[in-house]
């Protein structure tokens, strides 16, 4: 195709890729999911296993995705196709790119809804309506919110519109420009939260919970959740990193870039834990409340604390920023695909893809209220999309990607693009053996082929 010869868009600034990729990685996964998973799985030992998973599965795969994007310099489907052809493999490998792109798009259809909850909570906190409220009242407030499709829809729509406007403005003028302030802004707010938590009286308890390794609390299921989460939190197998990698200048080191992004993502997840758990402990609340940790437990704590409304507001603004820099990245793969393949302008693509995401997000909205009983395979629409992406498409996409890069492509292509000297062998063998083994294990467990009690 002629497009191969066109000069391709690149990140403008030195930190363009770093902010975009870190913004993508840092999201609801770090601030909402990681703390509640840690809470459910007993704390420090889970954190340690998660770190090992980032090292053995996350980092090698992230390097691979950036490499694919940059070598192919196109949307994920064509990037993987071109690299496969260059390496003498079947062009059908593009299916891996297609699966990733589809995952990212599908995740956005529910991510926008949950990001919308955070928006609602900015207002709930700022209005002070929960100040002094009892735990029951805080719980009821969240329950009533989920039961009202109209309110969920307003916030979901707003998230979709903001996301698509930014993406529609282009890679440099939209994505790079906006993540360039949202990402650092989010970090500043998070640090303010950690300082506030540091003065709550529960800091030592919170830190002990996060960092004390009690291996008796760890279960095989916990190990596998840590592994699955390593994927999600680094935005792997969702098109995002391949798409962003396509804009990475040739002179940047893929290894160094990956290590910085993975380090930043992990540091932020731990900081989120350090902002949340001390507040929870200081108010005598439970850490194991699951998905409600952020929307019920934490607001209950804020309701009782000095300056609770102010810091509650700061917390949820931070969450909205973190979610937006991720939602932007989920749709970039599809944007690149339709603009490159169909020749659409970015604004046109943004409107059409935005409408599609929005329509599909209605399925997630009703899953919490009128459609709570509409079940397929025993799951609501939201649960099905979550299951399809997290349990099937992502692990499968990651597995195929590892096989393609480490077993099929000739070493001269990967070694040349990664340009990492002696450490190349480590990348190769981890990706050949360790990564696939880990993924096959998650996969088998999620499909119920192996069972742990
Ligand atoms: N990494 C993001 C988070 O932790 C989620 C994400 C998944 C972003 C897939 C892009 C693609 O919230």
């Amino acid at each position: 195709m002629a497009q191969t010869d066109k000069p391709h868009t690149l990140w403008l600034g030195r930190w363009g890729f770093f902010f975009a990729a870190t913004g993508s990685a840092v999201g609801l996964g770090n601030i909402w999911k990681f703390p509640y998973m840690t809470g459910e799985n007993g704390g420090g030992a889970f954190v340690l296993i998660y770190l090992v998973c980032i090292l053995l599965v996350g980092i090698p795969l992230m390097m691979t995705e950036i490499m694919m994007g940059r070598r192919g310099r196109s949307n994920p489907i064509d990037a993987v196709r071109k690299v496969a052809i260059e390496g003498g493999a079947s062009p059908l490998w593009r299916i891996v790119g297609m699966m990733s792109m589809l995952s990212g798009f599908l995740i956005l259809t529910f991510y926008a809804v949950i990001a919308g909850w955070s928006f609602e909570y900015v207002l709930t906190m700022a209005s002070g309506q929960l100040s002094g409220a009892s735990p029951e009242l805080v719980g009821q407030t969240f329950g009533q919110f989920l039961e009202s499709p109209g309110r969920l829809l307003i916030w979901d729509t707003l998230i979709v519109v903001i996301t698509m406007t930014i993406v529609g403005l282009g890679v440099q003028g939209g994505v790079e420009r906006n993540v360039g302030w949202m990402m650092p802004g989010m970090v500043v707010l998070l640090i303010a939260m950690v300082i506030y938590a540091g003065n709550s009286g529960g800091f030592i308890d919170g830190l002990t919970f996060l960092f004390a390794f009690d291996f008796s609390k760890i279960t095989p299921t916990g190990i596998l959740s840590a592994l699955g989460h390593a994927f999600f939190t680094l935005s792997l197998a969702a098109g995002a990193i391949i798409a962003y990698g396509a804009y990475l200048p040739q002179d940047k080191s893929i290894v160094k870039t990956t290590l910085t992004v993975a380090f930043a993502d992990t540091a932020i997840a731990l900081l989120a834990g350090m902002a949340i758990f001390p507040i929870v402990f200081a108010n005598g609340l439970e850490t194991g409340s699951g998905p409600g940790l952020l929307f019920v437990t934490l607001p209950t704590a804020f309701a009782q604390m000095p300056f609770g409304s102010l810091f509650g507001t700061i917390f949820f603004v931070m969450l909205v920023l973190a979610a937006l820099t991720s939602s932007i990245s989920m749709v970039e793969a599809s944007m690149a695909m339709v603009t490159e393949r169909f020749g659409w302008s970015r604004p046109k693509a943004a409107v059409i893809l935005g409408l599609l995401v929005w329509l599909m997000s209605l399925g997630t909205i009703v899953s919490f209220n009128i459609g709570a009983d509409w079940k397929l395979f025993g799951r609501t629409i939201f649960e099905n999309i979550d299951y399809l992406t997290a349990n099937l498409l992502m692990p499968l996409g990651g597995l195929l990607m590892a096989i393609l890069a480490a077993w099929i492509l000739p070493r001269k292509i990967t070694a040349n693009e990664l340009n990492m000297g002696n450490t190349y062998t480590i990348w190769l063998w981890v990706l050949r053996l360790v990564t696939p083994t880990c993924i096959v294990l998650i996969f088998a467990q999620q499909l119920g082929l192996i069972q742990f009690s």
Side-chain angles (χ1 to χ4, degrees):
M1 262 185 252
Q3 77 211 15
T4 329
D5 308 314
K6 271 200 245 159
H8 199 270
T9 314
L10 295 178
W11 300 109
L12 252 180
R14 203 171 133 60
W15 295 97
F17 179 85
F18 172 74
F19 281 135
T22 309
S24 168
V26 174
L28 298 171
N30 303 57
I31 300 164
W32 172 58
K33 225 168 163 187
F34 174 73
Y36 86 67
M37 287 173 91
T38 306
E40 282 180 333
N41 288 290
F46 175 83
V47 174
L48 187 68
I49 290 166
Y50 161 81
L51 294 178
V52 173
C53 296
I54 293 282
L55 206 64
L56 293 181
V57 181
I59 291 178
L61 266 180
M62 183 178 256
M63 288 171 56
T64 308
E65 294 204 1
I66 301 177
M67 174 191 80
M68 288 286 175
R70 189 167 77 175
R71 191 83 180 179
R73 287 267 184 247
S74 325
N75 66 81
I77 302 181
D78 291 306
V80 180
R81 183 179 58 85
K82 285 180 193 168
V83 179
I85 294 175
E86 189 192 355
S90 162
L92 276 181
W93 281 100
R94 69 173 179 276
I95 291 172
V96 182
M98 210 178 280
M99 280 168 49
S100 307
M101 192 188 83
L102 187 68
S103 288
F105 193 83
L106 287 174
I107 292 173
L108 181 56
T109 68
F110 68 78
Y111 204 84
V113 177
I114 300 178
W117 300 355
S118 322
F119 239 134
E120 161 91 8
Y121 270 71
V122 171
L123 295 197
T124 309
M125 287 291 147
S127 70
Q129 76 186 75
L130 289 182
S131 155
S134 65
E136 294 72 34
L137 183 63
V138 178
Q140 271 170 19
T141 307
F142 186 55
Q144 282 166 0
F145 170 56
L146 289 190
E147 275 160 28
S148 112
R151 276 162 73 196
L152 295 182
L153 185 62
I154 293 176
W155 299 115
D156 164 52
T157 310
L158 189 64
I159 296 280
V160 173
V161 169
I162 299 176
T163 302
M164 297 318 293
T165 307
I166 293 177
V167 175
L169 286 171
V171 175
Q172 298 170 341
V175 178
E176 186 169 358
R177 173 180 292 178
N178 287 290
V179 297
W181 68 266
M182 286 176 162
M183 229 336 268
M186 178 261 147
V187 173
V188 171
L189 298 182
L190 179 58
I191 291 173
M193 285 309 303
V194 176
I195 296 172
Y196 178 68
N199 290 312
S200 65
F203 205 59
I204 301 296
D205 290 340
L207 286 195
T208 313
F209 179 72
L210 263 178
F211 297 111
F213 307 130
D214 177 356
F215 278 96
S216 66
K217 292 201 182 127
I218 207 73
T219 60
T221 319
I223 300 181
L224 294 172
S225 328
L227 200 52
H229 187 63
F231 254 89
F232 188 80
T233 191
L234 291 180
S235 311
L236 297 173
I241 300 297
I242 310 185
Y244 280 179
Y247 312 134
L248 183 69
Q250 203 61 38
D251 59 357
K252 286 265 176 194
S253 151
I254 293 183
V255 193
K256 276 193 211 147
T257 318
T258 302
L259 291 177
T260 347
V261 174
F263 175 81
D265 181 70
T266 308
I268 291 176
L270 294 176
L271 281 176
M274 287 159 65
I276 294 168
F277 292 122
I279 296 179
V280 172
F281 284 116
N283 290 279
L285 299 168
E286 288 296 321
T287 53
S289 56
L293 179 65
L294 241 57
F295 295 96
V296 180
T297 311
L298 204 57
T300 305
F302 286 133
Q304 300 163 9
M305 294 172 74
F307 305 107
S309 299
L310 173 65
F311 282 90
T313 312
I314 292 180
F315 184 87
F316 285 101
V317 170
M318 170 195 78
L319 196 57
V320 170
L321 290 177
L324 280 173
T325 55
S326 297
S327 63
I328 290 169
S329 75
M330 288 170 195
V331 77
E332 179 56 31
S334 309
M335 282 292 287
M337 200 279 280
V338 297
T339 51
E340 289 167 10
R341 288 213 158 191
F342 310 157
W344 294 356
S345 68
R346 285 190 69 108
K348 173 177 168 187
V351 171
I352 297 176
L353 292 176
L355 273 174
L356 202 61
V357 167
W358 182 80
L359 273 178
M360 291 174 65
S361 72
L362 301 181
T364 290
I365 291 185
V366 298
S367 302
F368 294 102
N369 36 70
I370 43 180
D373 298 328
W374 306 346
K375 298 217 166 145
L376 187 67
F377 311 118
R379 290 184 286 265
T380 61
I381 301 177
F382 159 60
E383 287 162 349
N384 272 305
I385 301 178
D386 184 26
Y387 186 88
L388 175 67
T389 51
N391 296 3
L392 299 173
L393 287 173
M394 289 170 102
L396 193 59
L399 180 63
L400 293 173
M401 183 65 88
I403 295 176
L404 172 63
W407 289 101
I408 313 265
L409 290 179
R411 291 188 192 196
K412 68 174 194 319
I413 294 186
T414 49
N416 169 285
E417 194 63 38
L418 290 172
N419 192 15
M420 56 195 288
N422 294 336
T423 47
Y424 174 78
T425 324
I426 308 180
W427 171 82
L428 188 69
W429 285 97
V430 170
L431 204 63
R432 281 195 162 180
L433 302 178
V434 185
T435 314
T437 310
C438 293
I439 299 176
V440 167
L441 282 178
I442 331 182
F443 215 20
Q445 192 252 2
Q446 284 169 341
L447 292 179
L449 301 179
I450 42 175
Q451 222 136 56
F452 301 113
S453 48

